[in-house]
Amino acid sequence: MSDATDDVLATDVAAVARIDAVPAILDVVCRTTGMGFAAVARVTEDRWIACSVRDDIGFGLKPGSELKIETTICNEIRDSRVPVVIDNVAEDPLFCRHHTPSLYKFQSYISVPVMLPDGSFFGTLCAIDPRPMRLNTPEVTGMFQLFADLIAFHLDALRRLDTSEADLLDERQSSGLREQFVAVLGHDLRNPLASIAAASRMLLRMALPDEAQPLIGMIQSSVSRMSGMIDNVTDFARGRLGGGLVLQPQEAAPVRAMLEQVIAELRSAHPDRDIESDLDAVGALRCDPGRIGQLLSNLLANALTHGAPDSPVRVQGRMDGAFFELSVANAGEPIPPAVMRELFRPFFRAGTKQAGQGLGLGLYIADEIARAHGGTLGAVSSLAETRFTFRMPAG
């Protein structure tokens, strides 16, 4: 095997490790089915590599471990692209004499191919157990297929983002390549993301163990975060490629209700963080309430990412004469002056350990929303706090 091929496979294994939802998926799989081992595997013509593993039965595999490809059923799934579901090997006419179950001593087995959007085969989402299990039901097979699609979606998104970042590092590439990328990204990801959101809502209505509910909530939080990223890149592409930022202003918009909804959503997504709000002085405002909510969401997400985790994030809104003012403040290390000058530039990220979670468009889009409303967005940072303030005419 060439070093280049090894590097590609190592990159694929690492990509699965970057998907926060995968451990939760494997946990839900095991808890829902009762099976003791579940994994995401990278499968090629001559390699079977574990990318992520949940092992409660001492099967012995860890991320990066390999099995001989010819000893696995996944080898056959790679060729057929069809899931394999076995409730009880001893009673299964197709697999009762198959070498794999006897070699690895399992009685129940399910494996679903992970197919990337371009039609290529990545690997499998699989589970085994030494006991017979009832797996061949629409609920179980549907859940596995949805989770396999979710993993494929994330892998494709990571590949797109990695490709984009590599291109952006090359100063010889024109900015048009970047803008084409974000336009395609925002457009192509909305439909699969909507499918994943619908699937998670369907899972919540199923009879799952109580422990599975917060795990599905984690998936929904990831969907919400990615939805916000798609909104940002779509707005960026529209602004750069000719459409401009679209507003739908209302004469007396219910701004406070929108702001409270955004804060509630962020509190739900970050139950371990304290978000304080003071919106009593906020009245009706001539604006696009959805865009004002998006502005707050971006500022609040930024504060939660970069603020001190043991200190509250504070949101305050008020009418100041002829102006409306909205601020978001957090404790933490002050922003250096050199960084302050670049905060509202697209694709700028401050370089903190958590900055890789976004594309660097949140503050840029918030600033564009402020400008579209005839307002301003500014920031001040000191040892005491970092505060972003949006100010616009109230009439």
Side-chain angles (χ1 to χ4, degrees), residues 100-370:
T100 297
S102 60
L103 176 64
Y104 294 117
K105 297 179 173 57
F106 62 77
Q107 283 298 314
S108 56
Y109 174 92
I110 180 170
S111 184
V112 174
V114 176
M115 303 296 300
L116 299 177
D118 63 3
S120 61
F121 177 86
F122 178 87
T124 59
L125 170 63
C126 55
I128 65 171
D129 196 273
R131 303 161 296 170
M133 295 289 178
R134 187 166 182 265
L135 303 175
N136 199 6
T137 67
E139 292 80 8
V140 173
T141 58
M143 177 183 68
F144 267 76
Q145 188 61 63
L146 288 169
F147 282 157
D149 291 344
L150 174 63
I151 293 167
F153 166 78
H154 277 290
L155 288 170
D156 184 60
L158 287 173
R159 287 183 177 183
R160 288 172 180 262
L161 293 176
D162 288 344
T163 299
S164 174
E165 289 179 353
D167 288 339
L168 295 175
L169 289 175
D170 186 353
E171 292 297 331
R172 294 171 297 178
Q173 296 291 328
S174 69
S175 61
L177 181 60
R178 174 195 293 169
E179 292 163 2
Q180 283 184 338
F181 166 75
V182 295
V184 171
L185 180 69
H187 179 270
D188 288 357
L189 295 187
R190 284 193 184 278
N191 287 341
L193 190 64
S195 298
I196 293 168
S200 66
R201 291 192 296 270
M202 184 184 73
L203 286 173
L204 283 175
R205 294 194 294 269
M206 294 171 57
L208 300 178
D210 292 340
E211 297 88 344
Q213 302 298 319
L215 299 174
I216 297 173
M218 290 171 57
I219 295 174
Q220 290 182 319
S221 296
S222 296
V223 169
S224 177
R225 185 167 65 250
M226 186 163 287
S227 178
M229 291 172 63
I230 292 174
D231 288 342
N232 285 339
V233 296
T234 302
D235 286 336
F236 172 80
R238 184 181 293 116
R240 289 300 183 94
L241 301 179
L245 195 67
V246 178
L247 294 184
Q248 296 179 335
Q250 300 178 21
E251 287 299 325
V255 179
R256 179 175 174 180
M258 174 59 69
L259 299 180
E260 289 176 340
Q261 177 182 334
V262 169
I263 293 171
E265 291 173 353
L266 274 263
R267 281 175 175 154
S268 176
H270 300 269
D272 57 330
R273 299 297 296 275
D274 185 13
I275 303 175
E276 300 176 353
S277 63
D278 179 8
L279 302 173
D280 292 341
V282 176
L285 183 68
R286 187 184 186 281
C287 68
D288 181 336
R291 289 296 189 182
I292 299 300
Q294 183 183 2
L295 180 147
L296 175 60
S297 180
N298 288 358
L299 295 182
L300 196 48
N302 181 74
L304 290 167
T305 298
H306 299 290
D310 56 350
S311 297
V313 175
R314 300 176 298 281
V315 180
Q316 183 178 37
R318 63 192 181 96
M319 298 294 192
D320 181 14
F323 288 89
F324 166 68
E325 191 173 281
L326 178 67
S327 66
V328 176
N330 62 268
E333 295 183 2
I335 302 173
V339 175
M340 288 285 286
R341 291 192 292 268
E342 304 289 336
L343 278 179
F344 301 110
R345 183 167 58 86
F347 296 104
F348 177 77
R349 293 181 292 188
T352 67
K353 63 181 180 180
Q354 293 180 330
Q357 294 179 352
L359 293 171
L361 287 173
L363 294 179
Y364 168 79
I365 296 299
D367 187 51
E368 290 295 298
I369 293 172

